[in-house]
Amino acid sequence: MGFNEFILTVNTSSIIILLVLAAILLVATRFRGEHAYAAAIIVLPNVPVYLYNASVMLWHDLALFLFPISSSVNLLLMPLLWLFAKKSFDSSFRLKPIHLLHLLPALICLGLCLSMSPEERLASIRYEMTGNTTLINDINTIFVFIQMIAYFAVIFRFLHRTKKAIGDTLSDAEWIQKSWIPVFEYLFAALFVIVMVGFFISPSTGTWLIQILNVIAMFYLVYNIIAHPVMPIKQVPVEIANDDVSETVNAETPSTHIMDEQLMKDICESASQYMEESKAYLRPDISLAIFAKEINIPQRKLSFAINGYLKCNFFEFVNRMRIEEAKHLMQKLDTSNLNIDSIYADCGFRSRSTFYMVFKKMTGKTPVSWLEDR
């Protein structure tokens, strides 16, 4: 197989795989919530580009038509990744007219391509086929590089603050159920770096390497969306829409660096004792705000003590007790009517999938494996 045939095979196969993945996502989720953005991530920035790469080998008329599109739609990928992250953790997020500025790089490249005559486009296509880059390619690459740095910085900052806010205030599935999303974003960032390094070494890698890596990332995306149903984030005291964490606490509460270890220990022991005696961890709706009010300790003070002394957040603090309760119940399976799938509700979890994820994270085993090995 020659290099041109290899490029044709890779791009054609990638188109088919991505369209199949999008169809599976459509059937499985009906494009609810952030899944519409996920489907757009799969198809919009990728399929036209890969179709263009394949067409330059066979159909120059189609390549001429796709040239402006393929040279611009790839610049929609980073805005779509940002929108996906925002929508996944902030159900109140809505697109505004100012968000159209995210389309500006793509529109600039589209305008430059449309300003070229058909003869200039054909000459550019033929020049690309020699393995060299054109002015349009270079401009597009510069935009991609700038987007990669700017968008990933914003996305990871947003996810970090969101994780902290959820972990500090909630105790149920809100983060665990969506914890794969940061992994997906990190995976994409790693793939972007690999692709950019490959492109600078040899521009021709842009016609095959990114397709292979992208298909891998999209498999991960579709699998996790189907495996983890939509669960809206609720009760998080942060201004997520502005990427700003504003804890709903008393400003007079001391911070960790002025809380001595003995004070943090006393607070944690008091919180643990009340949690165990009242079985508050069995309530699916328990949160830091509710719990702090029940034990009459300021919310921020309690959060700092748990983070500083127990080295975990409130979310993990509660789930540790839930998993211990699950183990206790599972040991009674031989003499009761309980089964593993019915235990999660009795332990305070809202869903079976969340129970399984938390259990494996804390024990290193699935509930079934743990039960078999006990």
Side-chain angles (χ1 to χ4, degrees), residues 19 25 113 131 155 178 187 199 218 246 262 357:
L19 290 176
L25 185 63
C113 291
I155 289 171
K178 293 175 179 281
L187 172 63
F199 180 81
M218 294 311 166
S246 54
Q262 185 59 47
M357 282 188 290

Side-chain angles (χ1 to χ4, degrees), residues 288-316:
L288 178 65
I290 294 173
F291 186 66
K293 187 175 181 180
E294 290 181 3
I295 63 176
N296 198 30
I297 296 176
Q299 180 176 331
R300 189 174 186 180
K301 193 172 184 178
L302 176 60
S303 176
F304 281 149
I306 293 174
N307 278 271
Y309 186 73
L310 297 179
K311 309 302 180 185
C312 67
N313 56 41
F314 182 74
F315 180 65
E316 296 164 325

Side-chain angles (χ1 to χ4, degrees), residues 76-95:
L76 299 178
L77 178 58
M78 291 308 306
L80 286 171
L81 287 173
W82 172 75
L83 284 170
F84 179 65
K86 292 283 287 185
K87 192 64 178 177
S88 295
F89 290 100
D90 182 12
S91 58
S92 65
F93 176 76
R94 296 292 182 271
L95 287 173

Side-chain angles (χ1 to χ4, degrees), residues 34 84-92 158-159 162-163 166 174-175 177-182 232-234 236 238 240:
E34 63 269 19
F84 179 65
K86 292 283 287 185
K87 192 64 178 177
S88 295
F89 290 100
D90 182 12
S91 58
S92 65
F158 167 74
L159 291 174
T162 303
K163 179 180 180 180
I166 293 173
E174 285 81 359
W175 179 258
Q177 196 74 3
K178 293 175 179 281
S179 60
W180 67 270
I181 295 176
I233 301 296
K234 300 177 181 179
V236 183
V238 294
I240 293 181

Side-chain angles (χ1 to χ4, degrees), residues 216-285:
I216 295 172
M218 294 311 166
F219 265 111
Y220 183 86
L221 173 67
V222 172
Y223 167 77
N224 280 284
I225 285 180
I226 295 174
H228 304 93
V230 172
M231 180 172 289
I233 301 296
K234 300 177 181 179
Q235 302 175 354
V236 183
V238 294
E239 295 296 332
I240 293 181
N242 298 319
D243 284 352
D244 178 42
V245 178
S246 54
E247 297 177 276
T248 55
V249 294
N250 190 332
E252 297 178 358
T253 309
S255 59
T256 49
H257 71 276
I258 59 173
M259 285 182 67
D260 60 49
E261 184 145 346
Q262 185 59 47
L263 177 57
M264 290 192 290
K265 179 181 178 182
D266 292 343
I267 291 174
C268 290
E269 289 180 348
S270 177
S272 298
Q273 182 179 354
Y274 179 85
M275 186 72 78
E276 291 173 355
E277 292 177 352
S278 67
K279 300 290 185 182
Y281 58 88
L282 299 181
R283 290 155 32 195
D285 63 339

Side-chain angles (χ1 to χ4, degrees), residues 15 23 27-28 52 56 64 85 97 109 111 127 135 163 166 191 195 221-222 232 235 257 273 311 343 351:
I15 292 170
V27 173
Y52 166 77
V56 296
L64 281 173
C109 283
Y127 188 67
L135 177 61
K163 179 180 180 180
I166 293 173
L191 297 185
V195 168
L221 173 67
V222 172
Q235 302 175 354
H257 71 276
Q273 182 179 354
K311 309 302 180 185
I343 283 176
S351 71

